[in-house]
Amino acid sequence: MRLFLLKTKTAYLTLKMNLNLQDKVILISGGAKGIGGAISRGLIEEGAIPVMIDPSEKEALEIFELSKGKALHIPIRLFSEDDARLAIQKTVEVFGRIDGLVNNAGANDGVGLEHGTPEAFVHSVGKNLFHYYYLAHFALPFLKKSKGSIVNISSKTAVTGQGNTSGYIAAKGAQLALTREWAVELLPYQIRVNAILPAEVFTPMYENWIQSFPNPDEKLAEINARIPLGNRMTTPEEIASMAIFLLSDKASHITGQQLYVDGGYTHLDRAL
Ligand code: NAP
């Protein structure tokens, strides 16, 4: 990770912060596209080994090629306990260790209170939340050995609400609560647990959502105008930088935190 440039008399000198992630095995649910894809790519730059648990074949293959074979793709859509158990077993079979977990897979699926159904609500919570617990649970014996780290990708909607998306929000709020809960429970093992709250990040999921409006360009411009820092969306790489830092031992005294990487969207006065 390049941090800053020092101007010397003759040249610019690049100083590198060594994140010590070389050869570390990091699981990323939804690790082939969007935010998860950016995390996998960033980890490769750091010499780490991303394990992408994601059904997306084409994107995972691109990342695998980028890694020159130092990556693993587990092509499943996580839902049940067995899916997560299998993903952990496969990872350990191949690499014999796990050094970090990024719980990231999810989708804002619009199951509301008034227009949703109880069945759809339960399904939405299941697909957005339960695999966060399952992966952490089955990875734990290996994270204990490596003193690894967990990063949960939540959402600013967990603290602001959004409307018409009860299932997704219930999952995102629970992810924040579990971040604190696991940070406490895992203190004795020196396992750190943190959450990142993105707000508006231009990813394939976001693009699909924008395209659902009659005038997507106008809608996007309206959203950009409300983002205080630079009137632009957060990039997936900006979320990835935070995730990779939190996974690294440079974040060695950070645990139980909720980090907003959102250009000030959640907290700054957007009327300014
Ligand atoms: P994305 O563009 O849809 O990428 C997510 C990737 O995860 C896709 O490859 C997707 O595959 C895969 N995936 C989805 N559900 C999965 C599952 N159950 N098991 C395994 N893989 C699964 O989404 P994103 O925008 O990067 O979002 C990633 C995370 O950030 C989510 O938790 C989301 O809630 C959170 N977030 C995003 C934003 C934003 O503005 N983008 C804002 C706040 C929070 P398919 O495409 O085949 O489904």
Side-chain angles (χ1 to χ4, degrees), residues 29-36 53-56 76-79 104-108 127-128 131-132 153-156 168 172 175 198-206:
S29 66
K33 280 202 314 229
I35 290 170
I53 311 169
D54 192 311
S56 319
I76 55 174
R77 184 173 297 281
L78 290 158
F79 189 80
N104 162 75
N108 194 342
K127 78 177 201 195
N128 280 298
H131 55 81
Y132 276 49
I153 306 294
S154 175
S155 165
K156 67 96 186 165
Y168 177 74
K172 291 292 157 194
Q175 290 160 10
E200 309 289 336
V201 189
F202 207 76
T203 62
M205 175 169 87
Y206 203 95

Side-chain angles (χ1 to χ4, degrees), residues 98-118:
I98 297 173
D99 299 288
L101 165 66
V102 184
N103 275 317
N104 162 75
N108 194 342
D109 50 5
V111 178
L113 180 62
E114 187 177 3
H115 301 296
T117 63

Side-chain angles (χ1 to χ4, degrees), residues 95-193:
F95 299 112
R97 57 183 294 133
I98 297 173
D99 299 288
L101 165 66
V102 184
N103 275 317
N104 162 75
N108 194 342
D109 50 5
V111 178
L113 180 62
E114 187 177 3
H115 301 296
T117 63
E119 295 75 21
F121 174 76
V122 169
H123 185 74
S124 172
V125 175
K127 78 177 201 195
N128 280 298
L129 175 64
F130 294 164
H131 55 81
Y132 276 49
Y133 177 90
Y134 299 149
L135 282 178
H137 176 77
F138 293 119
L140 189 54
F142 306 97
L143 292 172
K144 278 164 72 175
K145 278 190 206 152
S146 63
K147 296 195 171 66
S149 172
I150 300 175
V151 175
N152 290 325
I153 306 294
S154 175
S155 165
K156 67 96 186 165
T157 56
V159 294
T160 61
Q162 180 179 289
N164 199 35
T165 191
S166 298
Y168 177 74
I169 296 271
K172 291 292 157 194
Q175 290 160 10
L176 294 182
L178 288 174
T179 298
R180 290 261 152 84
E181 166 66 7
W182 295 347
V184 171
E185 185 170 330
L186 303 181
L187 286 171
Y189 308 119
Q190 303 274 306
I191 295 173
R192 297 176 299 98
V193 189

